[in-house]
Amino acid sequence: MSRGGFGGFEEFEGFRSLVGPWSMYARSFNGQGEGRPVVLVHGVVVAGRYMMPTARVLARHRPVYVPDLPGFGRSRGPKKPLDIPELAGALAGWMTAAGLEKADLVGHSFGCQTVSGVAARWPGRVGRLALLSPIGDPDNRSLPDHVWRWVRDCRREPLSVWGSYAGGFLRFGPRRAIGTLRHSTRDEMEVRLSSIETPTLVVRGDLDTIVGHSWAEKTASLLPNGRLAVMPGAPHNVNYKTPRALSRILLPFLDGET
C-alpha cells in the first residue's frame, strides 16, 4: 500500500488488487468512520479521482473506498472497452479481492449502470444503493445528443472539472471513450431496475442538462424500494460541485434513517 494526499483531501491509502487478468487501483480513506463500508463508483472517461470530494466528507462517518474500474484511471484493463455486465463483474470481483463482503454502493452517471448491475446480479453484496445523476434514459440513446448535453452541462460545472475530463480523456483515448459510451447508450438499465429490491436513493441536480427530471422520476419509480431526491442549484456532477450538500442527503439514507 502507498499513502498519498490529494490536494487537501483526507489522507488515503492507494492499493492494487488483482481481479481476473486486471490490476485494479483503489483508494481507501483512513477516517474515523465505522459501520458498513461505502464504495464510490465513477462515471465514463473520468476515474475515481473526481469522486474524492464526496469521499472526503463521507470518510468522517463511514469507511470509504474509491476504485478505478478496469481501463480507467490507474487501473489496467483490456484494449477493448468493457460493457456494463463486464464492468459490474469486475466491480464485484474487486469487492471480493478487497475483502468487502457487503457494502453500500454509490454510483455517479455511467457508474449508476455499473452499480445497478451488481445489485441486480449479486443483491446480497449490496446493503444500500445510491444512483447519482443516473444516465440510461431509453428515450435518449443518441450518442451525439449525449455529447451535446454534456457540453451544455459543463458550462455549469467548476472549471476544475474540465481538467478531470481532459486528463481522463487523454489517458482513456478517443476510441475507448466512444466505445464505452456506445455500451452505455445500448444498456437497458430500465429493464433490471424492477428486479433490484435493495433500498435505493436516486439523486438529481435540478440544473442537470444530461439527466432529465422525468427520467430521474422514472428511475425511482421503477425501483421497488426507490425514492428520488432533487438537489437545488446542482448540475450533473453533484459529487464534485456539492459534496457537503450531497452527503447531508446520502448519510441519513445510508444509515437507514430515511
Side-chain angles (χ1 to χ4, degrees):
M1 287 190 178
S2 60
R3 293 185 179 273
F6 189 86
F9 290 107
E10 299 285 343
E11 185 180 64
F12 66 87
E13 291 185 343
F15 65 98
R16 289 191 173 275
S17 304
L18 189 62
V19 181
W22 308 306
S23 172
M24 288 182 60
Y25 178 82
R27 302 163 180 86
S28 65
F29 285 78
N30 304 311
Q32 302 300 314
E34 298 180 352
R36 192 165 53 227
V38 180
V39 177
L40 304 180
V41 181
H42 61 80
V44 72
V45 178
V46 291
R49 182 182 179 92
Y50 90 125
M51 302 297 292
M52 299 285 269
T54 296
R56 178 189 182 186
V57 180
L58 294 180
R60 300 167 187 166
H61 307 272
R62 292 284 200 90
V64 176
Y65 295 81
V66 186
D68 289 346
L69 295 172
F72 293 78
R74 299 184 184 183
S75 290
R76 301 183 181 95
K79 292 183 179 180
K80 73 173 187 68
L82 299 180
D83 61 21
I84 305 301
E86 289 171 323
L87 288 171
L91 179 59
W94 172 83
M95 289 173 62
T96 299
L100 303 179
E101 181 179 347
K102 190 172 187 176
D104 294 336
L105 299 186
V106 178
H108 176 257
S109 193
F110 171 77
C112 295
Q113 295 174 298
T114 302
V115 298
S116 66
V118 175
R121 292 167 62 186
W122 300 282
R125 305 294 304 273
V126 185
R128 292 207 156 203
L129 184 68
L131 306 179
L132 314 179
S133 311
I135 61 174
D137 187 347
D139 295 326
N140 177 32
R141 298 204 189 276
S142 166
L143 185 56
D145 187 54
H146 268 278
V147 173
W148 171 238
R149 287 170 179 257
W150 172 78
V151 170
R152 290 171 57 203
D153 182 79
C154 277
R155 296 180 297 176
R156 302 175 178 182
E157 303 284 356
L159 288 176
S160 54
V161 83
W162 285 76
S164 295
Y165 280 135
F169 187 80
L170 289 174
R171 288 190 298 271
F172 207 57
R175 290 183 63 186
R176 185 188 294 270
I178 292 172
T180 302
L181 283 170
R182 283 177 175 159
H183 283 315
S184 174
T185 57
R186 293 167 182 167
D187 178 56
E188 297 181 340
M189 185 170 73
E190 71 278 8
V191 175
R192 64 177 171 274
L193 289 177
S194 61
S195 69
I196 297 175
E197 299 286 347
T198 305
T200 305
L201 178 67
V202 179
V203 179
R204 176 186 179 265
D206 69 349
L207 299 182
D208 190 345
T209 62
I210 298 174
V211 178
H213 185 73
S214 60
W215 168 240
E217 282 189 323
K218 185 175 181 179
T219 300
S221 68
L222 288 171
L223 291 154
N225 291 302
R227 67 195 73 175
L228 173 64
V230 178
M231 295 183 60
H236 186 67
N237 291 299
V238 293
N239 56 292
Y240 192 93
K241 186 172 183 178
T242 54
R244 289 180 177 81
L246 172 62
S247 296
R248 286 194 291 269
I249 295 172
L250 274 180
L251 282 168
F253 168 73
L254 297 179
D255 290 340
E257 297 174 8
T258 60

